[in-house]
Amino acid sequence: MKDVIRIGCGAGFWGDSAEGPRQLVESGEIDYLVLDYLAEITMSLLAKARAKDANLGYATDFPDVIARLAPQIKARGIKVVSNAGGVNPQACRELLQQKLKAQGIELSIGIVEGDDLLAQAASLKDVPEMFTGAAFPAKPWSVNAYLGAFPIAAALDAGADIVITGRCVDSAVALGPLIHEFGWRADDYDQLAMGSLAGHIVECGVQATGGIVTDWATVADDWDRMGFPIAICHADGRFEVSKPAGTGGKVTPETVAEQIVYEIGDPATYLLPDVSCDFREVRLVQAGPDRVAVSGARGRAPTDRYKVSATYQDGFRATGTMMLGGPGAVDKAQAVARAVLKRTRRLFAERGLADYTRTDVEVLGAESNWGAQARARATREVVLKLAVQHADKNALEIFSREFIPAATAMAQSITGFSGGRPGVTPLVRLFSCLVPKSSVTIRVDVDGRDVPFTPAAPAPDAVRPAATPAPAAELPAGPRRQVPLLALAYGRSGDKGNAANIGVLARRAEFVPLLRAQLTAEAVRRYFAHFVEGAVERFELPGLNGFNFLMQDALGGGGVASLRYDPQGKMLAQILMDFPLEVPEAFFEQGLLAA
């Protein structure tokens, strides 16, 4: 057994830079190259591609990327794990095998199947949506269970040099190699939690090494040469986060902490197929230049169910944009939107068509996303975005035709139609549910040979650890000064279906009591009243001096079901950074804040 395993993640999504895998392989600093390609909408697109051509349904970039790097991968003994298989791991492997054979390179390739439940959709008809209780869709496009890491480990145990999976939780592509190398058992919960955290940190590529950080100006000069993350993992679960020498970006407790809070809910109950994680006491220490030591994740037994994501069509959508300028630009844009909707609704009625299912108007440049906090009404240059949904494609064809004539019939200064008429496309929704693990049959195959795999028997769910009471702390008395949240904290936002999360991390431990007192769940709900239709919960992360806010029904449907310009809540943390806080003058006098 090795003492240390180095895992580099070269892709955070399908479409990430091809420089990532090459950079990591050429660095000579990794034992494993992992690539995370999948998201919910990606699965639906891959399912549609397979329906048209049985040889498709996977991330088509992957075979080319690995084939180009294969000589170095072989020479350096690097192993590869990726969920590039999508809904067709077999076809993905076959193409990669052809490309390797053409180069005379022998590498053993394993696949993990069983996540694709589309053929079993009829048996799920009585399974409710896990958040809303809605009925299972009648005609799903895709149905996939989120598998865990042990099948990946089984393929590696059987000699695979490359493992291609279908849908698994993103962190599993890193956890699988650690289970294989360190011999972790199904009940080594603390190690599994730490390995899952390592996977969670690196799974989005350069988001852990300075990409999309709050303090963006500190890394902007490196954006053209960002380093991809490496997790340097030990058998007891400890690990450090780093990046290849000589690459751009930075690895600090702040960059790693932002990635930890990305797309999470309750940090005490981060549920994965292999382990239920508690991230509340995770600690980060700068262990050297561009090297952060991570510790403190705890684990307990996982549940006896897999999360399943299905996608299905809910009518059609179209989105049009146009630029407007001059005095009163915001008012003009809103008037144009009203007129286009009024005109098309009249045409619908004349043709016996129903009204829109939904409409969404945003005036970009006027801080529409800030709601009541917007301060840019007087701007003289804006982009109008008008998005609509309808059950009938013919209705949206009318919208598409009638959107551009506004340029000659409505406000002066309308321009920016280089893309032509708005396209009409299916609107795809996400349906999430839970199914018993016993109902999912996992198959592991290495080079066409079935590998015996028996999932661990479900253990009784461990009791969720009680929260440690927040220590009482009094703020200094005296006069106060109003400052934005950005002065005291940094953060990141993300999405899970139609829910959004915002992680807020104090820049200094001294600021935590003030944030706890003023940045409450109710205060955040009021601040985002223009978006949030559900509850807002606040969870504390004592180890990171932070909080995570989970906002339900906050994204207008989420993903491609949302009509917003920011359907995944990527801007929400930045919007919250303007939240006003009343700060004691003593903070300035003590040098905790710059005057």
Side-chain angles (χ1 to χ4, degrees):
M1 183 177 74
K2 297 179 181 177
D3 295 327
V4 176
I5 297 298
R6 304 165 301 167
I7 300 174
C9 181
F13 63 98
W14 189 13
D16 207 345
S17 172
E19 291 299 296
R22 183 181 66 81
Q23 176 197 99
L24 289 166
V25 169
E26 292 181 354
S27 75
E29 298 179 38
I30 63 169
D31 303 300
Y32 282 83
L33 172 67
V34 301
L35 303 149
D36 175 23
Y37 286 110
L38 301 182
E40 287 81 2
I41 182 56
T42 313
M43 299 305 294
S44 67
L45 297 175
L46 293 175
K48 280 296 183 182
R50 183 183 60 180
K52 294 179 180 178
D53 184 339
N55 294 314
L56 295 177
Y58 56 88
T60 52
D61 298 356
F62 177 75
D64 290 331
V65 168
I66 300 305
R68 283 196 298 269
L69 295 172
Q72 294 182 72
I73 288 171
K74 177 75 171 181
R76 296 178 186 272
I78 295 170
K79 295 190 177 183
V80 179
V81 179
S82 177
N83 56 17
V87 297
N88 202 344
Q90 188 74 251
C92 184
R93 176 172 65 180
E94 289 173 2
L95 180 57
L96 179 56
Q97 285 174 327
Q98 293 171 15
K99 291 179 177 293
L100 294 177
K101 184 177 180 180
Q103 297 181 69
I105 296 174
E106 292 187 8
L107 289 170
S108 181
I109 306 177
I111 59 174
V112 175
E113 299 178 303
D115 63 291
D116 188 354
L117 306 181
L118 186 60
Q120 302 166 231
S123 67
L124 302 176
K125 62 183 178 62
D126 295 326
V127 177
E129 214 280 339
M130 61 189 293
F131 301 110
T132 67
F136 196 85
K139 296 180 179 180
W141 281 18
S142 63
V143 185
N144 293 85
Y146 288 77
L147 303 185
F150 279 91
I152 295 171
L156 294 168
D157 291 345
D161 300 303
I162 299 170
V163 180
I164 302 169
T165 78
R167 196 58 171 118
C168 60
V169 290
D170 298 343
S171 57
V173 296
L175 180 59
L178 299 179
I179 294 170
H180 162 67
E181 295 284 355
F182 297 142
W184 290 346
R185 301 184 306 273
D187 59 355
D188 287 331
Y189 298 130
D190 286 347
Q191 289 94 325
L192 295 174
M194 286 295 294
S196 296
L197 179 58
H200 174 66
I201 290 171
V202 303
E203 71 190 30
C204 291
V206 298
Q207 285 189 188
T209 59
I212 71 169
V213 290
T214 302
D215 298 334
W216 62 272
T218 63
V219 290
D221 288 345
D222 286 352
W223 282 347
D224 64 306
R225 57 185 197 93
M226 295 291 285
F228 280 71
I230 299 172
I232 305 166
C233 304
H234 304 262
D236 62 1
R238 293 176 298 114
F239 65 92
E240 294 88 43
V241 182
S242 185
K243 65 183 182 67
T247 60
K250 63 178 182 177
V251 181
T252 66
E254 291 78 15
T255 66
V256 175
E258 281 200 36
Q259 180 57 25
I260 289 174
V261 298
Y262 181 63
E263 295 185 341
I264 67 170
D266 181 353
T269 310
Y270 188 74
L271 302 179
L272 296 170
D274 304 307
V275 61
S276 298
C277 303
D278 185 345
F279 294 155
R280 288 175 298 179
E281 296 297 338
V282 169
R283 309 280 169 167
L284 306 175
V285 176
Q286 194 78 51
D290 289 319
R291 195 176 180 107
V292 170
V294 184
S295 62
R298 296 290 179 263
R300 58 190 188 277
T303 73
D304 62 354
R305 294 174 181 267
Y306 286 122
K307 179 182 177 182
V308 170
S309 286
T311 58
Y312 65 99
Q313 183 176 349
D314 182 17
F316 298 86
R317 63 176 296 155
T319 301
T321 61
M322 62 177 70
M323 191 172 84
L324 299 93
V330 177
D331 292 336
K332 282 192 286 189
Q334 292 172 334
V336 168
R338 288 193 300 270
V340 170
L341 292 175
K342 184 178 180 180
R343 177 180 177 84
T344 51
R345 281 175 167 138
R346 176 171 55 79
L347 295 174
F348 291 175
E350 291 174 358
R351 291 161 174 76
L353 296 169
D355 193 7
Y356 293 108
T357 308
R358 289 185 299 161
T359 66
D360 189 78
V361 177
E362 292 177 272
V363 182
L364 308 174
E367 299 185 355
S368 291
N369 285 278
W370 269 254
Q373 289 76 232
R375 300 195 296 257
R377 288 286 306 183
T379 186
R380 295 173 295 180
E381 183 179 81
V382 299
V383 171
L384 168 64
K385 184 232 73 181
L386 177 55
V388 292
Q389 178 188 359
H390 202 286
D392 191 329
K393 185 178 182 180
N394 293 321
L396 293 194
E397 294 291 355
I398 294 172
F399 168 83
S400 177
R401 291 195 301 271
E402 296 298 329
F403 184 77
I404 291 179
T408 57
M410 298 180 191
Q412 189 179 136
S413 81
I414 292 177
T415 187
F417 291 116
S418 58
R421 290 177 175 176
V424 179
T425 60
L427 187 139
V428 181
R429 286 195 180 274
L430 173 67
F431 179 97
S432 299
C433 62
L434 299 172
V435 302
K437 288 180 177 176
S438 59
S439 68
V440 176
T441 301
I442 299 172
R443 177 173 173 263
V444 180
D445 169 321
V446 176
D447 294 332
R449 171 174 52 89
D450 282 342
V451 174
F453 174 74
T454 303
D461 292 351
V463 177
R464 180 186 187 277
T468 302
E474 292 188 9
L475 294 172
R480 298 287 195 266
R481 184 189 307 185
Q482 190 177 93
V483 301
L485 175 61
L486 181 62
L488 279 73
Y490 56 99
R492 186 171 298 176
S493 52
D495 70 306
K496 284 296 179 187
N498 195 27
N501 91 289
I502 307 177
V504 176
L505 303 153
R507 295 183 183 275
R508 305 179 66 109
E510 294 90 337
F511 299 155
V512 172
L514 186 146
L515 296 178
R516 186 183 294 119
Q518 298 185 32
L519 195 67
T520 63
E522 181 54 31
V524 170
R525 193 186 192 289
R526 288 196 303 269
Y527 193 79
F528 286 106
H530 54 296
F531 282 159
V532 179
E533 297 179 7
V536 175
E537 297 176 90
R538 184 182 75 177
F539 304 99
E540 192 151 353
L541 290 135
L544 299 179
N545 292 322
F547 304 87
N548 188 49
F549 295 88
L550 182 62
M551 307 190 299
Q552 301 291 347
D553 297 327
L555 296 174
V560 292
S562 176
L563 300 182
R564 294 186 198 153
Y565 219 71
D566 180 23
Q568 295 176 297
K570 302 294 187 183
M571 282 181 60
L572 295 179
Q574 286 293 295
I575 294 170
L576 189 60
M577 287 297 126
D578 280 331
F579 185 93
L581 296 168
E582 298 296 326
V583 175
E585 283 288 348
F587 280 4
F588 298 93
E589 295 166 358
Q590 296 167 10
L592 301 179
L593 285 172

